[in-house]
Amino acid sequence: HVQLVESGGGSVQPGGSLRLSCEASKSGLRWGWVGWFRQAPGKEREGVATIDVLGGGGMIYSDSARGRFTIFQDAAKNTVYLQMTSLRPQDTAMYYCVSDLTDECRHVLNPSCYRNWGQGTQVTVS
């Protein structure tokens, strides 16, 4: 079982930037899609961005993330990052790193597609 450890969350003002990190406990990130999801209080989990680590680095973004967030990997460090810029108060949420795509997955930004979830890191924009 690959453990995912997130870091980099914090509090920033609107318009600010943060970089989240997701480090895998071993070389598990070589094995497929890795993504970032978020959940705000009282809301459902939603996909933010995913990257196809095994298949050449293809990236998928949610409409709210596209143009402001960038997902990228450092294979040597077994780490996937989420660079967030132009942050808005509505970006406030717990952010989770995910991996281990299910065979039944139909869209990689669907939370039900992933078996492995990290503990999360809090992002607050105010």
Side-chain angles (χ1 to χ4, degrees), residues 28-73:
L29 293 184
R30 298 179 185 174
W31 299 333
W33 289 86
V34 178
W36 287 95
F37 284 69
R38 67 186 183 187
Q39 187 168 24
K43 295 188 176 181
E44 295 184 351
R45 287 182 177 182
E46 63 169 338
V48 177
T50 63
I51 184 168
D52 186 3
V53 173
L54 179 63
M59 298 162 283
I60 304 292
Y61 293 94
S62 68
D63 289 342
S64 64
R66 192 175 299 111
R68 299 187 300 129
F69 296 178
T70 303
I71 187 169
F72 61 99
Q73 61 171 309

Coordinates of all heavy atoms in Angstrom, one line a residue, residues 28-73:
G28 N 5.2 4.3 -6.0 CA 3.9 4.0 -6.5 C 3.4 5.0 -7.5 O 2.5 4.7 -8.3
L29 N 3.9 6.2 -7.5 CA 3.4 7.2 -8.4 C 3.7 6.9 -9.8 O 3.3 7.6 -10.7 CB 3.9 8.6 -8.0 CG 3.4 9.2 -6.7 CD1 3.9 10.6 -6.5 CD2 1.9 9.2 -6.7
R30 N 4.5 5.9 -10.1 CA 4.8 5.5 -11.4 C 3.7 4.7 -12.0 O 3.7 4.4 -13.2 CB 6.1 4.7 -11.5 CG 7.3 5.5 -11.0 CD 8.6 4.6 -11.1 NE 9.7 5.3 -10.5 CZ 10.9 4.8 -10.4 NH1 11.1 3.5 -10.7 NH2 11.9 5.5 -9.8
W31 N 2.7 4.4 -11.2 CA 1.7 3.4 -11.6 C 0.4 4.0 -12.0 O -0.7 3.4 -11.7 CB 1.5 2.4 -10.5 CG 2.8 1.7 -10.2 CD1 3.8 1.4 -11.0 CD2 3.2 1.2 -8.9 NE1 4.8 0.7 -10.3 CE2 4.4 0.6 -9.1 CE3 2.6 1.1 -7.7 CZ2 5.1 -0.1 -8.0 CZ3 3.2 0.5 -6.6 CH2 4.5 -0.1 -6.8
G32 N 0.4 5.2 -12.6 CA -0.9 5.6 -13.2 C -1.2 7.1 -12.9 O -0.4 7.9 -12.6
W33 N -2.5 7.3 -12.8 CA -3.0 8.7 -12.6 C -2.9 9.1 -11.1 O -3.2 8.3 -10.2 CB -4.5 8.8 -13.0 CG -4.7 8.7 -14.5 CD1 -4.9 7.6 -15.3 CD2 -4.8 9.9 -15.3 NE1 -5.0 8.0 -16.6 CE2 -5.0 9.4 -16.6 CE3 -4.7 11.3 -15.1 CZ2 -5.1 10.2 -17.7 CZ3 -4.9 12.1 -16.2 CH2 -5.1 11.6 -17.5
V34 N -2.5 10.3 -10.9 CA -2.4 10.9 -9.6 C -3.1 12.2 -9.6 O -2.9 13.0 -10.6 CB -0.9 11.1 -9.1 CG1 -0.9 11.8 -7.8 CG2 -0.2 9.8 -9.1
G35 N -3.9 12.5 -8.6 CA -4.7 13.7 -8.7 C -4.8 14.5 -7.4 O -4.4 14.0 -6.3
W36 N -5.4 15.6 -7.5 CA -5.7 16.5 -6.4 C -7.2 16.7 -6.4 O -7.8 17.1 -7.4 CB -5.0 17.8 -6.5 CG -3.5 17.7 -6.2 CD1 -2.5 17.6 -7.0 CD2 -2.9 17.8 -4.9 NE1 -1.3 17.6 -6.4 CE2 -1.5 17.7 -5.0 CE3 -3.4 17.9 -3.6 CZ2 -0.6 17.7 -4.0 CZ3 -2.5 17.9 -2.5 CH2 -1.2 17.8 -2.7
F37 N -7.8 16.5 -5.2 CA -9.2 16.7 -5.0 C -9.3 17.7 -3.8 O -8.4 17.9 -3.1 CB -10.0 15.4 -4.7 CG -10.2 14.6 -6.0 CD1 -9.2 14.0 -6.6 CD2 -11.5 14.5 -6.5 CE1 -9.4 13.2 -7.8 CE2 -11.7 13.7 -7.6 CZ -10.7 13.1 -8.2
R38 N -10.5 18.3 -3.7 CA -10.7 19.1 -2.5 C -12.1 19.0 -2.0 O -13.0 18.6 -2.7 CB -10.4 20.6 -2.9 CG -11.4 21.2 -3.9 CD -10.9 22.6 -4.3 NE -11.9 23.3 -5.2 CZ -11.6 24.4 -5.8 NH1 -10.5 25.1 -5.6 NH2 -12.5 25.0 -6.6
Q39 N -12.3 19.4 -0.8 CA -13.6 19.3 -0.1 C -13.7 20.5 0.8 O -13.0 20.6 1.8 CB -13.8 18.0 0.6 CG -15.3 17.9 1.1 CD -15.6 16.5 1.6 OE1 -14.7 15.7 1.9 NE2 -16.9 16.1 1.6
A40 N -14.7 21.3 0.6 CA -15.0 22.5 1.4 C -16.1 22.0 2.4 O -16.9 21.1 2.1 CB -15.5 23.6 0.6
P41 N -16.2 22.7 3.6 CA -17.2 22.3 4.5 C -18.6 22.4 3.9 O -19.0 23.3 3.3 CB -17.1 23.4 5.6 CG -15.6 23.8 5.5 CD -15.3 23.7 4.1
G42 N -19.4 21.3 4.1 CA -20.7 21.2 3.6 C -20.9 20.9 2.1 O -22.0 20.9 1.6
K43 N -19.7 20.7 1.5 CA -19.8 20.4 0.1 C -19.2 19.0 -0.3 O -18.5 18.4 0.5 CB -19.0 21.5 -0.7 CG -19.7 22.9 -0.6 CD -19.0 23.8 -1.5 CE -19.7 25.2 -1.5 NZ -19.0 26.2 -2.4
E44 N -19.5 18.5 -1.4 CA -19.0 17.3 -1.9 C -17.5 17.4 -2.3 O -17.1 18.5 -2.7 CB -19.8 16.7 -3.0 CG -21.2 16.3 -2.6 CD -22.0 15.7 -3.7 OE1 -21.5 15.7 -4.8 OE2 -23.1 15.2 -3.4
R45 N -16.8 16.3 -2.4 CA -15.5 16.3 -2.9 C -15.5 16.6 -4.4 O -16.4 16.1 -5.1 CB -14.8 15.0 -2.6 CG -14.4 14.8 -1.2 CD -13.7 13.5 -0.9 NE -13.2 13.4 0.5 CZ -12.5 12.4 1.0 NH1 -12.2 11.3 0.2 NH2 -12.2 12.3 2.2
E46 N -14.6 17.4 -4.9 CA -14.5 17.7 -6.3 C -13.1 17.5 -6.8 O -12.1 17.8 -6.1 CB -15.0 19.1 -6.6 CG -14.2 20.2 -6.0 CD -14.6 21.6 -6.5 OE1 -15.2 21.7 -7.6 OE2 -14.3 22.6 -5.8
G47 N -13.0 17.1 -8.0 CA -11.7 17.0 -8.6 C -11.1 18.3 -9.0 O -11.9 19.2 -9.5
V48 N -9.8 18.5 -8.8 CA -9.2 19.7 -9.2 C -8.3 19.5 -10.4 O -8.3 20.3 -11.4 CB -8.3 20.3 -8.0 CG1 -7.6 21.5 -8.4 CG2 -9.3 20.5 -6.8
A49 N -7.4 18.6 -10.3 CA -6.4 18.3 -11.4 C -5.9 16.9 -11.3 O -5.7 16.4 -10.1 CB -5.3 19.3 -11.4
T50 N -5.6 16.3 -12.4 CA -4.9 15.0 -12.4 C -3.9 14.9 -13.4 O -3.9 15.7 -14.4 CB -5.9 13.8 -12.6 OG1 -6.5 14.0 -13.9 CG2 -7.1 13.8 -11.6
I51 N -2.9 14.0 -13.2 CA -1.8 13.8 -14.1 C -1.6 12.3 -14.4 O -1.6 11.6 -13.4 CB -0.5 14.6 -13.6 CG1 0.6 14.5 -14.7 CG2 -0.1 14.0 -12.3 CD1 1.8 15.4 -14.4
D52 N -1.3 12.0 -15.6 CA -1.1 10.6 -16.0 C 0.4 10.3 -15.8 O 1.2 10.5 -16.8 CB -1.5 10.3 -17.4 CG -1.4 8.9 -17.8 OD1 -1.0 8.1 -16.9 OD2 -1.7 8.5 -18.9
V53 N 0.9 10.0 -14.6 CA 2.3 9.8 -14.3 C 2.9 8.7 -15.2 O 4.0 8.9 -15.7 CB 2.5 9.5 -12.8 CG1 3.9 9.2 -12.5 CG2 2.0 10.7 -12.0
L54 N 2.2 7.6 -15.4 CA 2.7 6.5 -16.2 C 2.7 6.8 -17.7 O 3.6 6.4 -18.4 CB 2.0 5.2 -15.8 CG 2.4 4.0 -16.5 CD1 3.8 3.6 -16.2 CD2 1.5 2.8 -16.2
G55 N 1.6 7.4 -18.1 CA 1.3 7.5 -19.5 C 1.9 8.7 -20.2 O 1.4 9.1 -21.3
G56 N 2.9 9.4 -19.7 CA 3.5 10.5 -20.4 C 3.1 11.9 -19.9 O 3.6 12.9 -20.4
G57 N 2.4 12.0 -18.8 CA 2.2 13.2 -18.1 C 1.0 14.0 -18.6 O 1.0 15.3 -18.4
G58 N 0.1 13.4 -19.2 CA -1.1 14.1 -19.6 C -1.9 14.7 -18.4 O -1.9 14.0 -17.4
M59 N -2.5 15.9 -18.5 CA -3.1 16.5 -17.4 C -4.5 16.9 -17.7 O -4.9 17.2 -18.8 CB -2.3 17.8 -17.1 CG -0.9 17.6 -16.7 SD 0.1 19.0 -16.8 CE 0.4 19.1 -18.5
I60 N -5.4 16.8 -16.7 CA -6.8 17.1 -16.8 C -7.1 18.1 -15.7 O -6.7 17.9 -14.5 CB -7.7 15.9 -16.7 CG1 -7.4 14.8 -17.7 CG2 -9.2 16.3 -16.8 CD1 -7.7 15.3 -19.1
Y61 N -7.7 19.2 -16.0 CA -8.1 20.2 -15.0 C -9.6 20.4 -14.9 O -10.3 20.3 -15.9 CB -7.4 21.5 -15.3 CG -5.9 21.5 -15.2 CD1 -5.1 21.3 -16.3 CD2 -5.3 21.8 -14.0 CE1 -3.7 21.3 -16.3 CE2 -3.9 21.8 -13.9 CZ -3.1 21.5 -15.0 OH -1.8 21.6 -14.9
S62 N -10.1 20.8 -13.7 CA -11.4 21.2 -13.6 C -11.6 22.6 -14.2 O -10.6 23.3 -14.4 CB -11.9 21.2 -12.2 OG -11.2 22.3 -11.5
D63 N -12.8 23.0 -14.5 CA -13.0 24.3 -15.1 C -12.5 25.4 -14.1 O -11.9 26.4 -14.6 CB -14.5 24.6 -15.4 CG -15.0 23.7 -16.5 OD1 -14.1 23.2 -17.3 OD2 -16.2 23.5 -16.6
S64 N -12.7 25.2 -12.8 CA -12.3 26.3 -11.9 C -10.8 26.3 -11.7 O -10.2 27.4 -11.3 CB -12.9 26.0 -10.5 OG -12.5 24.8 -10.0
A65 N -10.1 25.3 -12.0 CA -8.6 25.2 -11.8 C -7.8 25.6 -13.1 O -6.7 26.2 -13.0 CB -8.2 23.8 -11.4
R66 N -8.4 25.4 -14.2 CA -7.7 25.6 -15.5 C -7.3 27.1 -15.6 O -8.1 28.0 -15.4 CB -8.7 25.2 -16.7 CG -7.9 25.1 -18.0 CD -8.9 24.6 -19.1 NE -9.3 23.3 -18.8 CZ -10.6 23.0 -18.5 NH1 -11.5 23.9 -18.4 NH2 -10.9 21.7 -18.2
G67 N -6.1 27.3 -16.0 CA -5.5 28.6 -16.1 C -5.0 29.2 -14.9 O -4.2 30.2 -14.9
R68 N -5.3 28.6 -13.7 CA -4.8 29.2 -12.4 C -3.9 28.1 -11.7 O -2.9 28.5 -11.0 CB -5.9 29.5 -11.5 CG -6.8 30.6 -12.0 CD -7.8 31.1 -10.9 NE -8.7 30.0 -10.5 CZ -8.8 29.7 -9.2 NH1 -8.2 30.3 -8.3 NH2 -9.6 28.6 -8.9
F69 N -4.2 26.9 -11.9 CA -3.4 25.8 -11.2 C -2.6 25.0 -12.2 O -3.1 24.8 -13.4 CB -4.4 24.9 -10.5 CG -5.2 25.5 -9.4 CD1 -6.1 24.7 -8.7 CD2 -5.1 26.8 -9.0 CE1 -6.9 25.3 -7.6 CE2 -5.8 27.4 -8.0 CZ -6.7 26.6 -7.3
T70 N -1.5 24.5 -11.8 CA -0.7 23.6 -12.6 C -0.3 22.4 -11.8 O 0.2 22.5 -10.7 CB 0.6 24.3 -13.1 OG1 0.2 25.5 -13.8 CG2 1.4 23.4 -14.0
I71 N -0.5 21.2 -12.4 CA -0.1 20.0 -11.7 C 1.1 19.5 -12.5 O 1.2 19.5 -13.7 CB -1.3 18.9 -11.7 CG1 -0.9 17.7 -10.9 CG2 -1.7 18.5 -13.2 CD1 -2.0 16.7 -10.7
F72 N 2.1 19.0 -11.7 CA 3.3 18.5 -12.4 C 4.0 17.5 -11.4 O 3.7 17.5 -10.2 CB 4.3 19.6 -12.8 CG 4.8 20.5 -11.7 CD1 6.0 20.3 -11.1 CD2 4.0 21.5 -11.2 CE1 6.5 21.1 -10.1 CE2 4.5 22.3 -10.1 CZ 5.7 22.1 -9.6
Q73 N 4.9 16.8 -12.0 CA 5.6 15.7 -11.2 C 7.1 15.9 -11.2 O 7.7 16.4 -12.1 CB 5.2 14.3 -11.8 CG 5.7 14.2 -13.2 CD 5.5 12.8 -13.7 OE1 5.9 11.8 -13.1 NE2 4.9 12.6 -14.9

